[in-house]
Amino acid sequence: MPVKRPFNLLQPIKPALTLWDKIYDWVLWRARIVILVTIILITGIFVGKVVVDTDAKNKTKEIASVESRLKVLETAYESEFRNLFRREDDYEELWNVGSAYTAVIQEIGSYIGGNVNLNVRVQDNKITIFGTEDLSVLNQVEVAMKSSTSFKNVFVNSLTVDSGQEGLNQGDYILSAEIVAAERPQL
Amino acid sequence: MDAQKSRRQRLNELLETTKGKTYFVVFVTFGFTALMILMGLLPSYSAFVKQLEQNQRRAEHITNLKGKLSVMEDLVVENQEKEAIKNIFNKIMPNGFNQVDYVLEIEEFARTSGLGLNGLTFAISDDVANSIPSVRLDDKVRGMMINIQLDGDREALPEFILDLENSIRLYTIKDLTSIRKSDGELAEDGFLRPYRFTLLVETYYFDTQVQDE
């Protein structure tokens, strides 16, 4: 028995959407968006990870390259430079504490004069003048040294008048003083 | 088999209504998103951040290394450019002691100041570092004492001392004695050089054979 087919040219009338149909449509679109966003985020993170991994590899290569260049230079020069710097530092230190007696020797020379029998010793910023000479010379040197700013604590340590020679006011003596500020220009 | 059929049947029954389909979509969406966040997004993000931090440390390390390299390269260039100055410095603060250089220089100072060099002796000085307590010296610094004997006029002495103290080589006068010669000695050398000057001078060098501590 043949099946009877209905024949209708009118557009079928859809039934009205129920509340659940509306909710379903709304949820379906939101669900699509959520899944899409999740996939985009994951893809983005993966791409980012690939980028930072590549960056890490490049940086590791760069570190190796710079380190090898540095090692070559260090092997060739570092010990030489260190030695040079250490010597420079020591040189500067030693220069700054070096002696500076020129001015003092000149000054003493001007007090003592040319042809007198006096000896001079300079040691550890102390000056000692000793010898056998006329006491007026001693007096002259002592006064000059006491009035000079280059010396302090000017002191006659020993004085022995030669009584054997009458009329001569001569004696053995030791005159000592401390040298003030015998420092050279600093580096 | 029956259980599977029953599940499928229950699922078909659920999907027949829009209410059921809504629940299904919500469940699947939340499930998928949670799974992606837990299994994909969080581990990847964590790895990404860690890698980023490591890269930052690498970048800092590279900056430091490049700074050091730049300093080193500048020093190498400066070292080559200032070879002449370095050679002079190697003579005034030498690695090791060359007595001849000192003899020649002191002889020259004596000659230019008009003094006669009568004798020159060398002796290694002990413990330089402790002998000058005001400065902190390297363990490798060594001292050499030079005893200089000169004859001449007292007027010539300051010039000699000036040369010595102004020399770029380090000479520290430790002891200086100026003695007038006896009449006999004066007569011997024709009264030309009335004074004998004895200087004890310390000079310094760097002993590279000493091992670093």
Side-chain angles (χ1 to χ4, degrees), chain A residues 118-143:
Chain A
L118 283 178
N119 307 312
V120 178
R121 185 170 191 192
V122 179
Q123 189 185 29
D124 296 333
N125 275 358
K126 281 183 185 166
I127 187 161
T128 312
I129 298 166
F130 56 101
T132 309
E133 194 45 85
D134 196 291
L135 290 181
S136 62
V137 175
L138 166 69
N139 186 42
Q140 184 187 319
V141 172
E142 189 189 357
V143 168

Side-chain angles (χ1 to χ4, degrees), chain A residues 51-62:
Chain A
V51 170
V52 291
D53 280 350
T54 312
D55 192 31
K57 273 184 192 168
N58 292 341
K59 282 191 164 59
T60 307
K61 276 184 192 168
E62 196 177 350

Side-chain angles (χ1 to χ4, degrees), chain A residues 20-59:
Chain A
W20 276 108
D21 287 339
K22 286 176 186 170
I23 292 172
Y24 175 70
D25 283 347
W26 188 88
V27 165
L28 195 63
W29 275 107
R30 277 6 175 224
R32 280 175 187 151
I33 291 167
V34 167
I35 287 171
L36 194 69
V37 168
T38 310
I39 289 170
I40 288 169
L41 278 176
I42 287 173
T43 313
I45 289 289
F46 273 113
V47 170
K49 182 77 170 71
V50 170
V51 170
V52 291
D53 280 350
T54 312
D55 192 31
K57 273 184 192 168
N58 292 341
K59 282 191 164 59

Side-chain angles (χ1 to χ4, degrees), chain A residues 18 20-21 23-25 27-28 30-32 34-35 38-39 41-42 45-46 48-49 51-53 55-60 62-63 66-67 69-70 73-75 77-78 80-81 83-103 105-106 108-109 112-124 130 184, chain B residues 18-19 21-23 25-26 28-29 32-33 36-37 40-41 44-45 47-48 51-52 55 58-59 61-62 65-66 68-69 72-73 75-76 79-80 86 89-90 92-95 128 132 134-141 154-155 157-159 161-162 164-181 195 204 206 208 212:
Chain A
T18 62
W20 276 108
D21 287 339
I23 292 172
Y24 175 70
D25 283 347
V27 165
L28 195 63
R30 277 6 175 224
R32 280 175 187 151
V34 167
I35 287 171
T38 310
I39 289 170
L41 278 176
I42 287 173
I45 289 289
F46 273 113
K49 182 77 170 71
V51 170
V52 291
D53 280 350
D55 192 31
K57 273 184 192 168
N58 292 341
K59 282 191 164 59
T60 307
E62 196 177 350
I63 287 170
V66 176
E67 275 180 344
R69 280 163 64 199
L70 206 55
L73 289 178
E74 279 175 355
T75 312
Y77 293 103
E78 194 174 8
E80 185 188 338
F81 290 160
N83 170 281
L84 194 63
F85 295 150
R86 287 163 75 173
R87 281 189 295 143
E88 272 179 10
D89 289 345
D90 290 327
Y91 180 86
E92 196 178 326
E93 295 272 14
L94 287 165
W95 174 274
N96 289 340
V97 295
S99 60
Y101 293 136
T102 311
I105 296 295
Q106 265 172 336
I108 286 293
I112 292 175
N115 195 26
V116 289
N117 189 20
L118 283 178
N119 307 312
V120 178
R121 185 170 191 192
V122 179
Q123 189 185 29
D124 296 333
F130 56 101
R184 61 165 71 193
Chain B
T18 47
K19 185 181 172 186
K21 280 197 271 190
T22 305
Y23 286 142
V25 168
V26 169
V28 167
T29 307
F32 174 79
T33 310
M36 284 297 107
I37 288 172
L41 202 65
S44 301
Y45 179 74
F48 172 80
Q51 192 63 65
L52 210 60
N55 284 1
R58 281 190 177 97
H61 187 48
I62 288 170
L65 283 176
K66 280 188 173 169
K68 199 176 172 187
L69 184 68
M72 203 72 180
E73 282 172 345
L75 282 173
V76 171
N79 186 47
Q80 285 159 355
K86 205 180 77 181
F89 185 70
N90 285 340
I92 61 175
M93 188 68 182
N95 284 312
V128 180
I132 315 169
S134 57
V135 294
R136 187 171 158 75
L137 294 174
D138 201 282
D139 303 333
K140 295 188 175 187
V141 174
R154 200 161 50 208
E155 286 76 19
L157 182 65
E159 194 184 330
I161 293 172
L162 186 70
L164 212 59
E165 290 184 334
N166 281 359
S167 167
I168 53 171
R169 275 206 178 90
L170 294 164
Y171 294 102
T172 301
I173 297 171
K174 294 284 180 183
D175 196 351
L176 183 159
T177 317
S178 157
I179 305 274
R180 190 179 162 84
K181 288 181 184 172
Y195 285 90
Y204 310 94
F206 211 71
T208 47
D212 281 319

